[in-house]
Structure formats: structure tokens, C-alpha cells
Amino acid sequence: MCKKIDLCSTEMNEVVKEVREMRMKISEKCGHDLNRVLEYYQKSGEELRKSGKYKFVDPEPPAEKPAPTESTPGEATD
């Protein structure tokens, strides 16, 4: 049985507040530069993977989209 989590609880609010504070510190450390923030998170992820302390699940590659078919003039397309 799964424990139901009250997302509006005081405890959850504190967790959210702490996460937001950490994200702000990381952003400040990177000069609020989105590319540097992304690089920081990618490097951190690589280091965590190498540590072997955490288990990571790799995302599945996106499914290929079927090639669009050409319609004749005046023909409705979806």
C-alpha cells in the first residue's frame, strides 16, 4: 500500500521551499546564465552516475514519426 502524500502539508511546503532555495543558489553560482546552469546540472548528473551511489534510468529514444504524405490540391489533410 502506498502512503498518500499531502502536497499542501507544512512539511511538503518546507521541502519545496528548500528545493527552491537550492535552485536559486545554483542559478546565482552560474550567474543566472541558462547555458551555465544546464552545464552545471549535466556535470552533476555525470558525477552522480560515476559514483555508483544512485540508480539512473535512461530515457527511451523518441519514436520515429511517420513520414508525411503528400496530398493533392483541394484534398483535406488531418
Side-chain angles (χ1 to χ4, degrees), residues 13-51:
N13 287 340
E14 290 300 315
V15 170
V16 171
K17 181 180 175 183
E18 183 178 349
V19 169
R20 288 178 176 164
E21 288 173 357
M22 292 303 299
R23 287 174 50 206
M24 183 56 72
K25 287 179 184 178
I26 292 167
S27 182
E28 288 173 357
K29 180 179 179 179
C30 297
H32 301 291
D33 180 311
L34 184 58
N35 290 321
R36 287 178 55 196
V37 171
L38 179 61
E39 185 179 310
Y40 173 88
Y41 283 123
Q42 288 173 335
K43 183 178 176 184
S44 296
E46 289 172 11
E47 290 173 3
L48 290 172
R49 276 183 190 269
K50 288 178 185 176
S51 76

Side-chain angles (χ1 to χ4, degrees), residues 3-21:
K3 179 181 174 185
K4 189 173 180 178
I5 299 173
D6 180 8
L7 298 177
C8 297
S9 69
T10 304
E11 181 180 338
M12 185 58 67
N13 287 340
E14 290 300 315
V15 170
V16 171
K17 181 180 175 183
E18 183 178 349
V19 169
R20 288 178 176 164
E21 288 173 357

Side-chain angles (χ1 to χ4, degrees), residues 56-67:
F56 286 79
V57 177
D58 291 317
E60 293 182 19
E64 289 189 31
K65 295 180 181 178

